[in-house]
């Protein structure tokens, strides 16, 4: 019932919004939200802040570009019903591999090791021409045609993204309650006790990273369809920081906050240049982010929930 | 700056009352990060062109909306989509750098009712291969910007063998092609090419691997990379003469400190824009620039120069069709295709079959001024440089796209 209140208006958006708002703002926010969700999942349930999410998303995106129609004549064209599962699988495996490398580190060390992996992946894509086409990357990547309708058209792409976002949210809440999800949270809280019970600590950590790779890969695939291109810039330092910013302003402790953060970020990114002088627009973006962090240290999701709680209290009869 | 904008809008408003529709031009430039200074200068160039026509063409007010890219193709595409879908621009002017240009060329195929005019982006394949019907470039590519240098190095300076040190991406590849196509045709050889990542700080492995028997080094590195390489080469005792790419020897490197600068004296380079050029049209352009922007550079940069040419072309063609953009810009594009006008460097700009500019290029040389500072002076001007560098277009295309190994003449 509570979710219907959120989902039904979202389903009606294509009727209300023009293509620009639907695609450039809503769809983009949903896609960035899914990638940021993969970060807040790790942060909330495993207690690890990962900087390698852009690389995981890139693994999914590059797979789609390499095995799909593109205009740079690199790669093998496979039908989408093979390339999509393959991209999801590779993103998941890459996530698991990163988890394997980072499984012994915590806190600041986990940040450093995942940052190193993210940046190494960025330089690798920039220098490798056989698989990643280096600096230029892939362009002219087309989303699949299903029944004559391109998934890149504004309305289908929006619904694809919305569906992926809803499924991702459901997966996160389901996974968190599963035995493996509980083991992950136990590792977060007391790794020593988990070991004392005879449960391996590595497996839950690798599983958590692999799952976040699946989420990030989903976002990565949608992002390639949306951008119709991918290059080393798509996995560079800029996107890495953007994903962190989105997760933080939404609230790292709330998976759904990722989407709130993404909407705010996309609006700022798109319209700041119209609001202030074009030489100062980054100052505006920085100031707003700073204010959010100062006045809502637990993110916008917390702010919204506090507001709602206050309203509810005010509504109650006072006698 | 703000006063100028005010002036433009007042002029534009007074013209608008006369009649007709607004024509919106969306400007894409890099206004953040490393290239922000260049990107701001690019916008000055476009504004100068609009000032030339006092903000309106045949009673149609010209409105300029600008968007920033951070230099990545992704943001350039996002900026263009926003300008088209939200602001409803008729013409896109930009972008600034190579990969962005390729991305917008691809994007332009999805928006047949918008005309794209390239800013200063200089990748070769933007127009040479898979060109787009509504993407125009009133300027050259990285290879055209090197025309004259290979010939000068072989025939005038007598270099027979040259090693290449360049950054590992498309723009330097194209620059190397421009240099090598003349140099190798004249009989020179390039035994070794070193490709380094952008932002590399340690060049020692390259410095010590440069063969001792080459006559000179062709360095196509930009900004800090050039300073780092030249400093380390000098410290290692290197004394080969240097040949520069279009972005290697600019005023910023000439004004930086360090003993490596003595390596540069006499170094030739290729460039479409030379601040000190004494041509009458150029001097007039410099005067307009410095009058309107007293706080900017002492002369327009390569970016201001190219955005100025692009905006001028856009406005001249608009004037020719009396601001008529109906029928998916059919008449307007016809006018752009057949346009011919005098550019600030004195030559005549016109387009080839791929809608790429036939341009002027300069061979320059670094010289020491009387006060000990360094400057660039013009050795020769090459007019009418085509994208196939004067070769048969078919044969030129058959050589294939540029890469680390193409061209090659060891």
């Amino acid at each position: 019932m509570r979710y219907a209140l959120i989902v039904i208006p979202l389903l009606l958006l294509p009727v209300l919004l023009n293509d620009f708002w639907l695609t450039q703002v809503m769809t983009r926010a949903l896609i960035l939200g899914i990638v940021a969700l993969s970060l807040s999942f790790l942060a909330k349930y495993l207690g690890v802040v990962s900087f390698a999410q852009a690389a995981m998303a890139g693994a999914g995106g590059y797979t789609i570009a390499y095995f799909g129609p593109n205009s740079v004549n690199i790669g093998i064209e496979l039908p989408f019903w093979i390339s999509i599962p393959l991209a999801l699988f590779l993103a998941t495996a890459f996530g698991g591999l990163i988890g394997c490398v980072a499984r012994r580190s915590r806190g600041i060390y986990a940040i450093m090791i995942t940052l190193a992996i993210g940046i190494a992946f960025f330089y690798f894509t920039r220098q490798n021409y056989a698989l990643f086409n280096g600096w230029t990357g892939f362009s002219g990547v087309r989303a699949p045609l299903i029944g004559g309708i391109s998934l890149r058209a504004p309305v289908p792409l929006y619904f694809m993204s919305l569906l992926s976002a809803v499924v991702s949210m459901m997966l996160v809440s389901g996974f968190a309650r599963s035995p493996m999800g509980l083991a992950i949270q136990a590792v977060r809280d007391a790794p020593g006790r988990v070991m004392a019970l005879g449960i391996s600590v590595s497996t839950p950590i690798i599983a958590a990273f692999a799952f976040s790779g699946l989420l990030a890969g989903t976002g990565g695939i949608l992002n390639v369809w949306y951008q119709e291109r991918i290059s080393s810039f798509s996995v560079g330092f800029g996107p890495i920081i953007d994903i962190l910013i989105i997760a933080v302003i939404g609230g790292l402790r709330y998976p759904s906050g990722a989407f709130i953060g993404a909407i705010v970020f996309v609006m700022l990114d798109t319209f700041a240049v119209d609001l202030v002088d074009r030489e100062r627009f980054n100052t505006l973006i920085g100031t707003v982010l700073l204010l959010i962090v100062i006045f809502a240290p637990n993110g916008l999701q917390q702010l919204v929930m506090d507001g709602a709680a206050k309203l509810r209290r005010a509504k109650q009869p006072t006698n | 700056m703000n006063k100028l904008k005010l002036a433009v809008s007042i002029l534009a408003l007074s013209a608008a009352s006369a009649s007709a529709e607004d024509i919106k031009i969306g400007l894409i430039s890099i206004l953040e990060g490393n290239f922000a200074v260049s990107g701001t200068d690019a916008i000055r160039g476009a504004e100068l062109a609009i000032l030339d026509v006092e903000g309106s063409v045949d009673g149609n007010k010209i409105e300029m909306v600008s968007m920033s890219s951070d230099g990545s193709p992704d943001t350039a595409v996002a900026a263009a989509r926003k300008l088209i879908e939200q602001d409803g621009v008729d013409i896109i002017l930009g972008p600034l750098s190579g990969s962005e240009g390729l991305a917008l060329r691809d994007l332009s195929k999805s928006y047949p009712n918008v005309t794209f005019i390239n800013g200063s982006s200089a990748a070769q394949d933007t127009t040479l291969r898979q060109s787009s019907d509504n993407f125009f470039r009133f300027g050259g590519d990285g290879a055209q910007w090197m025309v004259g240098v290979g010939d000068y190095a072989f025939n005038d300076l007598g270099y027979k063998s040259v090693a290449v040190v360049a950054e590992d991406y498309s723009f330097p590849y194209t620059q190397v092609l421009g240099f090598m196509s003349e140099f190798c045709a004249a009989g020179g050889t390039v035994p070794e090419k070193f490709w380094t990542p952008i932002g590399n700080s340690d060049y020692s492995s390259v410095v010590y691997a440069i063969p001792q028997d080459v006559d000179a080094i062709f360095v196509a590195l930009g900004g800090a990379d050039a300073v780092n390489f030249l400093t380390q080469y000098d410290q290692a005792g290197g004394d080969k003469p240097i040949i520069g790419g279009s972005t290697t020897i600019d005023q910023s490197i000439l004004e930086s400190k360090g003993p490596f600068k003595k390596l540069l004296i006499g170094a030739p380079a290729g460039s479409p824009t030379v601040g000190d050029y004494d041509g009458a049209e150029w001097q007039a352009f410099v005067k307009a620039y410095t009058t309107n922007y007293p706080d900017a550079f002492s002369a327009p940069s390569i970016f201001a120069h190219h955005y100025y040419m692009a905006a001028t072309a856009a406005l001249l063609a608009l004037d020719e069709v009396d601001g008529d953009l109906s029928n998916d810009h059919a008449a307007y594009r016809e006018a752009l295709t057949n346009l011919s006008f005098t550019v600030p460097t004195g030559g005549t700009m016109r387009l080839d079959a791929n809608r790429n500019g036939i341009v002027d290029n300069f061979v320059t040389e670094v010289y020491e001024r009387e006060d000990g500072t360094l400057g660039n002076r013009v050795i020769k001007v090459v007019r009418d440089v085509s994208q196939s560098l004067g070769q048969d277009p078919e044969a030129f295309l058959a050589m294939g796209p540029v890469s680390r190994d193409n061209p090659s003449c060891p």
Side-chain angles (χ1 to χ4, degrees), chain B residues 247-331:
Chain B
T247 54
T248 310
I249 306 182
D250 60 4
Q251 205 55 37
S252 66
I253 192 168
L254 295 178
E255 281 166 19
S256 62
K257 303 270 182 283
F260 71 86
K261 278 163 55 177
K262 69 177 186 298
L263 277 173
L264 289 176
I265 296 169
S271 175
T273 310
V274 181
D276 297 341
Y277 181 50
D278 50 11
E281 292 91 348
W282 182 257
Q283 286 305 323
F285 182 49
V286 172
K287 188 152 181 295
Y289 175 89
T290 47
T291 319
N292 283 302
Y293 305 102
D295 300 333
F297 302 119
S298 59
S301 68
I302 190 169
F303 306 102
H305 175 204
H306 279 77
Y307 273 70
Y308 175 78
M309 293 194 292
T312 302
L315 297 170
L316 283 175
L318 268 180
D319 185 35
E320 208 147 291
V321 297
D322 302 326
D324 173 21
L325 293 176
S326 61
N327 200 7
D328 274 358
H329 300 198

Side-chain angles (χ1 to χ4, degrees), chain A residues 155-200:
Chain A
V155 176
L157 187 68
Y158 172 72
F159 280 123
M160 269 302 288
S161 308
L162 184 59
L163 181 72
S164 307
V166 170
V167 171
S168 301
M169 284 294 293
M170 282 160 50
L171 276 178
V172 167
S173 70
F175 188 67
R177 278 177 305 201
S178 71
M180 183 54 91
L182 293 172
I184 290 169
Q185 293 168 67
V187 168
R188 171 198 63 193
D189 294 335
R193 290 191 204 174
V194 174
M195 279 208 285
L197 285 171
I199 304 172
S200 150

Side-chain angles (χ1 to χ4, degrees), chain A residues 18-21 23-24 28 71-73 123 126-129 135-136 139-140 152 223 225-231 233-234 269-271 273-274 277-279 281-282, chain B residues 1-2 5 31-32 40 43 47 64-68 71-74 77-78 81-82 85-87 99 102-103 106-107 110-111 130 168-170 173 196-198 404:
Chain A
N18 67 14
D19 282 358
F20 170 76
W21 277 89
T23 310
Q24 306 295 318
R28 185 165 166 231
S71 64
V72 295
N73 300 322
Y123 275 109
R126 180 161 281 193
Q127 297 288 307
N128 179 288
Y129 278 79
W135 173 281
T136 316
S139 57
R152 177 61 182 81
N223 197 38
W225 289 345
Y226 163 74
Q227 303 273 6
E228 299 179 298
R229 53 173 298 104
I230 186 166
S231 66
F233 295 98
S234 320
D269 193 43
T270 314
F271 296 109
V273 75
D274 292 340
D277 193 13
R278 62 177 171 243
E279 281 146 29
F281 73 99
N282 270 328
Chain B
M1 187 76 204
N2 277 321
K5 264 192 254 172
L31 301 174
E32 50 196 300
T40 313
I43 291 198
E47 283 177 345
M64 199 170 88
V65 193
S66 52
M67 266 306 274
S68 170
S72 74
D74 296 5
V77 165
R81 287 201 174 118
K82 192 241 167 198
E85 293 180 10
Q86 179 67 9
D87 300 319
S99 297
L102 290 167
D106 286 338
L107 185 77
S110 315
Y111 293 101
Q130 299 171 354
D168 193 7
Y169 72 102
S170 50
Y173 296 163
T196 62
I198 289 191
R404 288 172 180 166

Side-chain angles (χ1 to χ4, degrees), chain B residues 324-340:
Chain B
D324 173 21
L325 293 176
S326 61
N327 200 7
D328 274 358
H329 300 198
Y332 180 57
R333 285 177 196 162
E334 184 70 29
L336 278 174
T337 310
N338 298 324
L339 205 61
S340 162

Side-chain angles (χ1 to χ4, degrees), chain B residues 169-189:
Chain B
Y169 72 102
S170 50
F171 176 70
Y173 296 163
T174 317
Q175 290 250 289
V176 170
L177 164 77
F179 172 74
M180 282 178 65
S181 70
E182 278 178 13
F183 187 69
C184 297
T189 60

Side-chain angles (χ1 to χ4, degrees), chain B residues 16-34:
Chain B
S17 59
S19 79
E21 291 166 51
D22 293 1
I23 290 168
K24 277 191 167 183
I25 300 183
L27 198 64
I28 300 176
S29 180
I30 302 180
L31 301 174
E32 50 196 300
N34 290 345

